[in-house]
Amino acid sequence: MSKKSKIFLSGVVEGFYGRPWTMTQRKELFRREQKWGLNTYLYAPKDDYKHRMYWRDLYSLEEADQLMTLISAAEEHHVEFIYALSPGLDITFSNPKEVAALKRKLSQVCEFGCRSFALLFDDIETEMCAADKEAFSSFAEAQVSVTNEVFRHLEEPEIFLFCPTDYCAAFCTPSVPLSSYLNTVGEKLNPAIDILWTGPKVVSNHISVASIEEVSSVLRRPPVIWDNIHANDYDPQRVFLGPFKNRPTELIPKLRGVLTNPNCEFEPNFVAVHTLATWCKSNSGQKDVSMDVEDQGSDYNPHEALQLALTDWLVEFGQADQPDGSRSRGSRSKRDASEEEPMQTDGYVPGPKDNPLYTAEPLTLSDLTLLSELFYLPYEHGPTALRMLQELHWLRSNSDAATFGTTATESEKVQEWRQRAEKFDDMCGAVVQMFNRLSNAPNRIILYDLYNYICDIKSGVSMARAFIKTLGGLTPHPAMIINDDPEPWGFRGGLSGEFQRMLPCHGNRDLFRTPPATRVYTIRPYTPKDQSEVLKLFKEMQSESLQKVELVGDRLVEGHITPSQNCSAILEDVSGVCGYVFALTDAKTAVTEALYPKTMLQDYPSVIAIQIHPNVPDPTAVKRLIGHVLSSLRDSGSSGVFSEFRSNDRRMLDFLKTLNLFQVLQVNGLPTDLVVMGTKL
């Protein structure tokens, strides 16, 4: 492979569901990428018919002209244009006509001047059709075979990306190292083809060096991160204006590249793309990061990167958009851009007793910082938003102290409640002020992309503000009074909101890390009277999985082996037994020692059997149940415990992954239909 293909790919993937960006917006993106030192754009809008649904159709003359113009604009700004095609919805991999259609479509784009390509097989069904089952041994082999053939047909372009169906660790069964799909891709995909990866999850909160080293080993190459941390196509009420974070810059020399798949709305992505550019440069100090660069330490600070981005964005807000969508540039200083406002020019001068002319307050950096903190990142609110939630929670929880009037007892708690209520009111006022300033900013293009979001947060904050005033004995505006017959804005979210409020996981995960349970669970020791209900649950869950392999847990549940003292527990709700845990402190008394190496039994001397009914939605109760038995094992002197599962018991394997209590153990010589998970005590 040539040296050029080793350049670190950094930039943007337009890969979201929803209305694609316009040609004008994409050209503006190229300008920003060049200015900030990014070098790549991946064209993959999910709702472009000829990218995904009608992938076989060639482009018309008018469409071809648009794409050629776009490719030329990217080249002009030194941005690599990667054209992606997503044939996975309905392609028959074994049909030569289908492969020919793929080649024909990409050859047409080649004629437009495009030199870099991608095939994407994300978000599709994994069941092969009958013809493909006859031709290929697995879904991965089918994808790899066609991808390799298309790659050769295009004369092995220097940049060619492949998006697997299992594109994050959460999709890999039973784990990344043991995924047959990923191992096939790593082994058989042409080594010159790069592979896209989103991290531990579809939207990954953190991406660690260890996780990238793990997947790189399986893929036999460093991945290109398709980063969804700023994607918002799954939630129309959220936009993400926080910095690129929770990705250590030590990742850079271990990756082939990072492409952000940001918000559907174009203008709010100023922060996402700007901070990504700062992150990319922080480790190497140069625009194009070579894969050979040694780790030089990180000087990336997400808060500082955010302030840099917001400072530049403030200038954009001050540039009035033109009727044709273009903007005036370079005619004003930063001070002018942030302070100059539209002026009334009809010559009217109010008299001494008339109302003065309305003067819009200028948008400030503090306003944009507040905006960013209100719409921060998927897994966390910004500091100000979190403080507002905490204050509202405290004020409501301590509403007994909200006694105002001449007869109020001036206790310390009453004084504290008043002070915190005033503080909360000021914070709400700052949100309303930010909304008003944004609404009057000269750049209406940015405003219109943000308007629904800032209008929504202003309304929500205003209702919370009115509620606290009511608790404090004050009378809010009539439109904000909370009663049994509210205005429509008093019950937000429509039908979707009603559904969410009925789910146990609904609520603020930053303030309430454990969502409130909707059921009452009892955790208690197992007694012989529970045997019939335990066996009923055991047999019901056994029907979900293979019967070929016998587990130690089967014998524990059926009573052939007696659990160790204090090592059996039951989870119970109003319907009866809905979960159980049984354990043996000394696994050697029950397992076939030839199956497990001595070193493993030394590290994990105990064995545990776990079963939870699928109707148990609350992970907290399950964690407590398992934790009770783990604590007993630890007290008995055990240093570790393992548990056996049938490999197709996907439900339990996935559920235990979410608890973060156990990890999949790699044990040589295990039957393929057996998965072992364990944890140190």
Side-chain angles (χ1 to χ4, degrees):
M1 194 184 301
S2 68
K3 181 68 176 177
K4 185 173 182 180
S5 66
K6 290 291 186 181
I7 294 299
F8 186 88
L9 302 178
S10 60
V12 177
V13 49
E14 184 182 346
F16 50 80
Y17 291 87
R19 178 184 293 176
W21 294 332
T22 66
M23 292 296 174
T24 300
Q25 288 171 332
R26 290 164 180 156
K27 291 175 183 177
E28 172 63 14
L29 173 65
F30 301 156
R31 186 194 70 80
R32 292 176 182 177
E33 286 197 87
Q34 181 184 27
K35 179 180 179 181
W36 298 335
L38 299 172
N39 58 32
T40 304
Y41 166 75
L42 175 57
Y43 177 89
K46 290 289 192 294
D47 289 311
D48 177 341
Y49 276 168
K50 292 187 178 180
H51 160 74
R52 187 171 171 89
M53 189 177 296
Y54 301 125
W55 61 269
R56 299 173 184 84
D57 293 358
L58 297 178
Y59 288 106
S60 66
L61 290 176
E62 181 181 357
E63 292 166 336
D65 183 62
Q66 284 187 323
L67 271 176
M68 283 189 282
T69 301
L70 196 63
I71 292 167
S72 176
E75 186 175 3
E76 178 184 344
H77 290 288
H78 305 290
V79 172
E80 192 66 38
F81 184 100
I82 305 176
Y83 176 85
L85 204 59
S86 295
L89 289 176
D90 60 1
I91 186 174
T92 300
F93 293 94
S94 56
N95 189 331
K97 292 182 179 179
E98 294 279 77
V99 180
L102 258 181
K103 294 176 180 177
R104 183 169 60 248
K105 179 66 167 284
L106 294 178
S107 292
Q108 183 195 31
V109 179
C110 252
E111 295 171 0
F112 302 160
C114 184
R115 59 193 178 191
S116 300
F117 299 90
L119 283 182
L120 312 181
F121 295 103
D122 56 321
D123 301 343
I124 59 175
E125 294 297 326
T126 57
E127 183 68 21
M128 290 193 292
C129 65
D132 286 344
K133 287 180 179 178
E134 293 176 2
F136 301 105
S137 62
S138 68
F139 196 42
E141 186 185 351
Q143 294 177 356
V144 166
S145 175
V146 169
T147 302
N148 286 341
E149 185 172 343
V150 170
F151 180 64
R152 290 191 296 269
H153 169 76
L154 295 172
E155 299 181 357
E156 302 192 358
E158 292 176 335
I159 298 176
F160 194 99
L161 307 180
F162 169 86
C163 183
T165 305
D166 291 356
Y167 55 79
C168 65
F171 289 179
C172 298
T173 302
S175 63
V176 170
L178 299 179
S179 165
S180 58
Y181 175 91
L182 277 195
N183 275 284
T184 299
V185 170
E187 178 184 352
K188 297 187 176 181
L189 188 69
N190 190 304
I193 298 174
D194 291 301
I195 300 174
L196 293 159
W197 183 252
T198 65
K201 300 169 65 177
V202 178
V203 181
S204 295
N205 188 10
H206 298 266
I207 300 179
S208 68
V209 171
S211 72
I212 292 303
E213 290 175 341
E214 179 182 64
V215 74
S216 298
S217 175
V218 176
L219 297 178
R220 305 186 183 192
R221 70 205 80 192
V224 176
I225 295 297
W226 171 312
D227 206 319
N228 289 318
I229 193 62
H230 285 96
N232 72 335
D233 54 358
Y234 55 85
D235 189 345
Q237 291 183 298
R238 302 173 78 186
V239 66
F240 300 114
L241 308 177
F244 190 78
K245 64 178 297 193
N246 296 333
R247 285 99 171 100
T249 54
E250 290 79 9
L251 284 171
I252 292 176
K254 298 179 182 295
L255 295 172
R256 175 73 168 93
V258 178
L259 305 176
T260 180
N261 178 41
N263 299 285
C264 299
E265 299 84 1
F266 177 76
E267 292 297 343
N269 292 320
F270 192 98
V271 172
V273 181
H274 195 294
T275 56
L276 170 64
T278 303
W279 180 87
C280 287
K281 289 183 287 188
S282 64
N283 188 272
S284 68
Q286 57 185 19
K287 173 182 173 182
D288 290 326
V289 183
S290 168
M291 297 290 285
D292 299 326
V293 169
E294 294 295 329
D295 179 21
Q296 299 176 20
S298 172
D299 58 355
Y300 178 77
N301 181 305
H303 176 73
E304 292 176 0
L306 176 62
Q307 290 303 304
L308 286 173
L310 294 177
T311 300
D312 287 351
W313 203 20
L314 183 61
V315 178
E316 297 280 323
F317 272 98
Q319 295 172 337
D321 56 312
Q322 304 302 315
D324 63 355
S326 62
R327 300 169 190 166
S328 56
R329 295 191 178 279
S331 59
R332 282 174 278 176
S333 67
K334 288 188 178 182
R335 185 173 185 274
D336 293 333
S338 62
E339 295 183 1
E340 182 176 339
E341 302 296 336
M343 297 182 64
Q344 302 185 40
T345 57
D346 61 1
Y348 171 74
V349 177
K353 295 184 178 180
D354 296 333
N355 277 326
L357 290 177
Y358 175 79
T359 303
E361 294 182 355
L363 188 67
T364 68
L365 182 60
S366 295
D367 293 320
L368 290 188
T369 301
L370 174 59
L371 175 68
S372 171
E373 293 186 358
L374 296 178
F375 298 97
Y376 203 61
L377 290 170
Y379 295 98
E380 61 179 309
H381 297 303
T384 300
L386 190 54
R387 282 196 300 272
M388 292 182 74
L389 287 169
Q390 290 168 337
E391 288 300 312
L392 178 59
H393 179 63
W394 187 92
L395 289 166
R396 180 175 177 177
S397 300
N398 294 275
S399 58
D400 59 314
T403 308
F404 284 73
T406 55
T407 61
T409 303
E410 288 296 327
S411 67
E412 289 185 7
K413 190 171 183 181
V414 168
Q415 292 178 14
E416 182 183 6
W417 199 98
R418 288 186 185 183
Q419 292 169 356
R420 293 179 75 158
E422 290 175 3
K423 176 183 176 183
F424 182 74
D425 190 76
D426 290 342
M427 297 170 82
C428 292
V431 174
V432 175
Q433 182 183 62
M434 177 268 293
F435 171 86
N436 292 333
R437 290 174 174 176
L438 276 170
S439 299
N440 290 306
N443 195 317
R444 315 308 285 173
I445 291 177
I446 305 178
L447 172 66
Y448 296 152
D449 270 359
L450 289 170
Y451 191 79
N452 286 343
Y453 299 109
I454 61 175
C455 186
D456 184 65
I457 194 63
K458 175 203 171 191
S459 181
V461 163
S462 296
M463 286 190 292
R465 190 183 197 183
F467 173 67
I468 295 304
K469 284 186 175 181
T470 303
L471 288 181
L474 303 177
T475 303
H477 190 280
M480 290 296 168
I481 293 177
I482 300 174
N483 54 32
D484 293 334
D485 185 26
E487 294 281 1
W489 51 79
F491 45 94
R492 310 186 66 75
L495 181 60
S496 176
E498 296 294 340
F499 282 132
Q500 291 177 38
R501 280 185 281 274
M502 295 178 70
L503 301 178
C505 61
H506 186 63
N508 172 36
R509 292 177 177 271
D510 286 293
L511 187 55
F512 310 105
R513 302 304 288 186
T514 302
T518 55
R519 302 185 197 175
V520 176
Y521 294 97
T522 300
I523 297 172
R524 59 174 176 78
Y526 166 83
T527 69
K529 293 181 180 179
D530 298 316
Q531 181 67 9
S532 60
E533 283 199 72
V534 167
L535 282 174
K536 180 182 177 182
L537 175 60
F538 168 71
K539 290 176 180 178
E540 182 183 352
M541 296 302 100
Q542 274 233 333
S543 64
E544 293 186 353
S545 56
L546 293 169
Q547 303 298 311
K548 292 188 298 182
V549 56
E550 185 184 39
L551 309 181
V552 176
D554 298 348
R555 289 182 285 156
L556 275 167
V557 175
E558 291 173 331
H560 302 308
I561 303 174
T562 303
S564 299
Q565 187 176 6
N566 300 324
C567 289
S568 55
I570 295 296
L571 182 68
E572 192 174 42
D573 63 8
V574 291
S575 302
V577 173
C578 54
Y580 59 76
V581 176
F582 297 101
L584 277 174
T585 55
D586 186 4
K588 291 197 295 291
T589 62
V591 302
T592 304
E593 290 192 50
L595 191 62
Y596 296 105
K598 290 182 179 179
T599 53
M600 185 201 131
L601 293 177
Q602 288 171 356
D603 291 338
Y604 304 92
S606 303
V607 63
I608 191 169
I610 305 167
Q611 188 56 262
I612 305 297
H613 196 281
N615 291 337
V616 176
D618 186 3
T620 305
V622 178
K623 268 192 169 183
R624 288 174 53 215
L625 173 73
I626 298 173
H628 173 78
V629 176
L630 293 182
S631 178
S632 295
L633 289 172
R634 190 181 298 111
D635 291 344
S636 71
S638 177
S639 59
V641 60
F642 71 93
S643 187
E644 300 172 328
F645 297 91
R646 296 175 177 90
S647 60
N648 73 330
D649 193 357
R650 181 69 180 261
R651 180 185 64 82
M652 277 300 293
L653 289 169
D654 289 346
F655 184 66
L656 287 174
K657 279 185 184 179
T658 65
L659 300 182
N660 290 321
L661 292 176
F662 299 90
Q663 296 78 41
V664 175
L665 303 181
Q666 298 187 43
V667 183
N668 294 329
L670 275 186
T672 57
D673 50 4
L674 183 64
V675 176
V676 176
M677 302 183 78
T679 185
K680 292 293 186 67
L681 297 175

